[in-house]
Amino acid sequence: MTARPTAYITTPIYYVNDRPHIGHAYTTTLCDVWARAMRFAGRDVFFLTGTDEHGVKVEKSARERGIDPQALADENAAEFERVLEVFGLTNDDFIRTTQSRHVRQVQAFVKRLLEMDAVYLGEFEGWYDEGQEEYVTENRARETDYTSPISGRPLVKATEKNYYFRLSAFQERLEAFFEANPGFVRPEARRNEVLGRLRDGLQDVPITRTNFSWGIPFPDDEQHVIYVWIDALLNYATALGMAEDDGDAGGRHRYWPADLHVIGKEILWFHAVIWPAVLMALDLPLPTCVYAHSFWISEGQKMSKSLGNFIDLPTIERYMDTYGLDAWRWYMVVQGPLGATDADFQAAGFHETYTTDLVNTVGNCASRTTAMIGKYFDGVVPADAGTVFEGWDLPGAAATAFERWTAAMATFALDDACEAAIGLLRTVDAFINATEPFKVAKDESRRDELASILARCAEAVRIASMLLSPILPAKMAELRAALSIDLDVANGGLAEQAAWSDRLAGSTVTKVALFPRIEAPQDA
Ligand code: MSP
């Protein structure tokens, strides 16, 4: 038996100084949709998420609360893990950067970088703001007349020994890589941003710190702590045991490299430039795609702590209680900031999307079809009698929807994949309106015509339910149960299962009401 093709997808690992909110839930949900779609398409999937637990921000938050950084990390990592459960997300692992498996491999990787001379000990000299514990650039120092803009005290000239990553040495290789792999950064607009900045030239970057201790000690020089971003990026490799000495005892090396790193736009530079350069230095194959989505804002405003308008977990749970988990996923995917523009989370927009797409289209189409089969054929799907309806080609529409869905999934255009599937249901609705089976049913001599209409509707609904299942897993399971069919994902027969057939003929269907109408917009 040949091995199934793998698919490795990752979310960013989330900082534990923050509590989970819509931003985190969003990225993880997108990855979940893709992971389900790929499993469904027969790929051997590894879906990774986790938490980023080191660094000065975590140290500071813990200090403010008077607790140990590890205690803070434990508390919030548990909260992030709870999100996965509440949302029914299907990640295969959850990595925490304080786990020993991660720590020892990061040290091994950094050692390798030192040996390869990609990391060196250098000296940094700059203007230091003692009150703020940070360096300011020469330009900014000049602007404030070499005083701190915060305390007004003079800046001091300080030097610091740090280990540096030789990023500048990878300039040409990175440019060539971008050239040869136009799909490496998506969407296109983001790729252009990175390319522009890349062509401005690269400088070596410090990868250690000495002014705090909550991090992974630098190998053989424990005064230094590994910079949190190097520590964090390596999670994608340590989770697969890529620097373990055990000859792939975990059996995960086959997933390397990632097919998709899904991230928010604010951390693109690290993923699109620093990360590939580190992998080049380590001589590891590079990921296929970094997909940087944009941001959710809330009712027209940026979400911020000071405005207190974060769509947080309790708010999300209220939406899920009212509309259901699948409705939440649908809104995230079809109205979210997948492309290069931000998306506005609006209670009214949520309600409208729910009503238009799920109640009036998916739910209505499924219930009309199943109800008519119940009424006119005692709940048994008739065989297609082959009646020709001029201008209507449901099998053709289903094939086009499947092709569009497949192409959309391949480029992470999840909203387009949704559109392909729901578009098929809109066609079914229009077909019903045009052929008027409720009228045809009144005439006994037109039984063949009636059977042809309803057999085709049922088959198109079945195919649409397959394509919608990664996005609406619970509701589509309900629909499949109503159609008395299984979804055999394990065998990877998606193309075969989504192909037009007469497999439903003779099977029993029951009427379904998938998405209840909810009258008043919920102002959660
Ligand atoms: N720990 C780093 C990532 C290291 S990855 C090697 C980090 N963590 S974070 O907790 O700040 O999470 C950032 C991610 O959360 C973003 O990249 C994005 O995926 C998600 N979002 C945070 N706020 C968001 C919005 N308002 N909208 C959409 N997603 C955003 O950065």
Side-chain angles (χ1 to χ4, degrees):
M1 210 180 87
T2 50
R4 289 183 294 146
T6 57
Y8 180 27
I9 183 165
T10 68
T11 74
I13 47 171
Y14 304 113
Y15 284 131
V16 286
N17 56 320
D18 214 358
R19 297 180 86 76
H21 57 69
I22 187 173
H24 312 119
Y26 174 63
T27 313
T28 318
T29 299
L30 294 181
C31 292
D32 183 72
V33 169
W34 195 81
R36 286 178 190 260
M38 290 306 114
R39 283 188 203 111
F40 183 30
R43 308 253 307 253
D44 172 11
V45 173
F46 196 79
F47 166 20
L48 179 69
T49 185
T51 40
D52 190 354
E53 307 192 353
H54 291 126
V56 75
K57 280 202 264 183
V58 176
E59 194 178 70
K60 203 165 149 241
S61 301
R63 205 182 312 129
E64 279 164 13
R65 284 196 34 204
I67 57 173
D68 194 53
Q70 188 65 60
L72 177 74
D74 289 346
E75 189 182 301
N76 278 345
E79 193 64 6
F80 277 99
E81 286 201 77
R82 192 173 79 81
V83 171
L84 298 166
E85 232 167 85
V86 171
F87 286 74
L89 300 169
T90 58
N91 57 304
D92 295 288
D93 196 358
F94 186 91
I95 187 154
R96 301 182 51 187
T97 56
T98 55
Q99 287 167 337
S100 58
R101 62 168 169 163
H102 177 75
V103 172
R104 68 172 172 260
Q105 289 185 81
V106 167
Q107 289 181 321
F109 274 130
V110 169
K111 247 188 180 153
R112 211 183 288 169
L113 289 171
L114 264 171
E115 284 159 14
M116 310 285 258
D117 194 36
V119 163
Y120 62 93
L121 186 62
E123 201 163 60
F124 175 79
E125 191 185 49
W127 293 106
Y128 193 65
D129 182 335
E130 287 177 313
Q132 293 302 105
E133 293 189 47
E134 67 175 3
Y135 283 94
V136 291
T137 60
E138 180 63 37
N139 278 347
R140 272 194 47 213
R142 200 178 316 119
E143 275 167 23
T144 58
D145 208 13
Y146 301 94
T147 56
S148 164
I150 314 289
S151 66
R153 290 215 307 268
L155 299 172
V156 295
K157 194 105 204 177
T159 55
E160 195 176 302
K161 277 205 158 128
N162 272 320
Y163 287 91
Y164 282 76
F165 174 61
R166 246 181 246 289
L167 184 61
S168 61
F170 294 91
Q171 173 93 33
E172 278 172 24
R173 279 180 69 186
L174 282 168
E175 283 186 33
F177 174 72
F178 268 79
E179 196 66 38
N181 297 278
F184 176 60
V185 172
R186 283 183 204 276
E188 179 86 16
R190 298 277 173 246
R191 172 177 193 265
N192 295 336
E193 282 171 19
V194 175
L195 263 180
R197 210 175 136 188
L198 180 60
R199 288 179 182 143
D200 282 345
L202 295 172
Q203 287 184 344
D204 293 352
V205 287
I207 60 150
T208 54
R209 296 287 187 270
T210 48
N211 58 346
F212 71 98
S213 60
W214 182 239
I216 301 182
F218 194 82
D220 307 323
D221 192 351
E222 305 229 334
Q223 274 182 332
H224 294 261
V225 160
I226 297 169
Y227 178 41
V228 64
W229 264 102
I230 293 296
D231 165 354
L233 285 166
L234 286 168
N235 92 85
Y236 303 131
T238 61
L240 301 187
M242 299 301 287
E244 295 282 34
D245 274 339
D246 60 3
D248 194 19
R252 290 179 171 184
H253 290 192
R254 69 177 186 278
Y255 296 111
W256 189 269
D259 293 81
L260 261 171
H261 291 305
V262 183
I263 57 166
K265 62 181 176 182
E266 85 289 16
I267 56 176
L268 180 57
W269 184 253
F270 291 103
H271 284 82
V273 173
I274 298 184
W275 179 227
V278 167
L279 293 173
M280 283 172 181
L282 290 167
D283 217 5
L284 282 170
L286 306 194
T288 309
C289 179
V290 174
Y291 191 99
H293 62 70
S294 302
F295 266 37
W296 279 106
I297 59 171
S298 169
E299 306 285 351
Q301 280 182 308
K302 187 173 185 263
M303 287 187 281
S304 75
K305 284 218 175 98
S306 51
L307 288 171
N309 62 345
F310 267 103
I311 312 270
D312 56 10
L313 208 44
T315 309
I316 297 173
E317 286 181 304
R318 281 204 297 281
Y319 274 93
M320 294 201 309
D321 287 346
T322 308
Y323 294 95
L325 172 57
D326 281 3
W328 171 267
R329 290 168 68 90
W330 183 262
Y331 184 67
M332 288 292 98
V333 175
V334 301
Q335 298 290 339
L338 249 187
T341 38
D342 289 348
D344 193 9
F345 189 99
Q346 293 176 334
F350 191 110
H351 186 79
E352 196 189 310
T353 301
Y354 174 77
T355 306
T356 310
D357 292 349
L358 300 181
V359 180
N360 294 346
T361 307
V362 181
N364 185 48
C365 189
S367 84
R368 273 174 119 182
T369 303
T370 51
M372 284 192 282
I373 293 171
K375 195 162 164 196
Y376 306 133
F377 291 95
D378 294 326
V380 178
V381 182
D384 187 338
T387 313
V388 174
F389 300 96
E390 211 51 59
W392 291 99
D393 175 16
L394 254 47
T400 308
F402 177 62
E403 274 164 35
R404 180 170 168 190
W405 183 94
T406 307
M409 284 296 178
T411 54
F412 207 64
L414 305 183
D415 46 352
D416 203 41
C418 290
E419 184 50 41
I422 202 171
L424 177 58
L425 293 177
R426 279 194 218 105
T427 305
V428 173
D429 259 337
F431 177 65
I432 294 175
N433 295 345
T435 54
E436 298 182 308
F438 26 86
K439 285 191 187 153
V440 178
K442 293 192 179 126
D443 183 347
E444 252 321 295
S445 70
R446 296 171 75 188
R447 280 301 275 181
D448 277 2
E449 195 179 331
L450 186 64
S452 301
I453 298 170
L454 293 179
R456 267 169 244 178
C457 290
E459 180 60 1
V461 168
R462 182 190 70 79
I463 293 171
S465 83
M466 301 275 152
L467 305 185
L468 288 171
S469 67
I471 303 123
L472 306 170
K475 292 295 174 179
M476 292 304 106
E478 246 179 74
L479 178 53
R480 284 195 305 278
L483 297 175
S484 309
I485 51 168
D486 287 330
L487 179 69
D488 186 8
V489 295
N491 293 326
L494 175 61
E496 191 260 327
Q497 285 201 50
W500 193 268
S501 68
D502 60 359
R503 75 184 75 200
L504 282 180
S507 65
T508 312
V509 300
T510 45
K511 185 173 186 301
V512 273
L514 296 173
F515 296 98
R517 194 168 292 283
I518 294 168
E519 290 310 333
Q522 296 293 309
D523 197 9

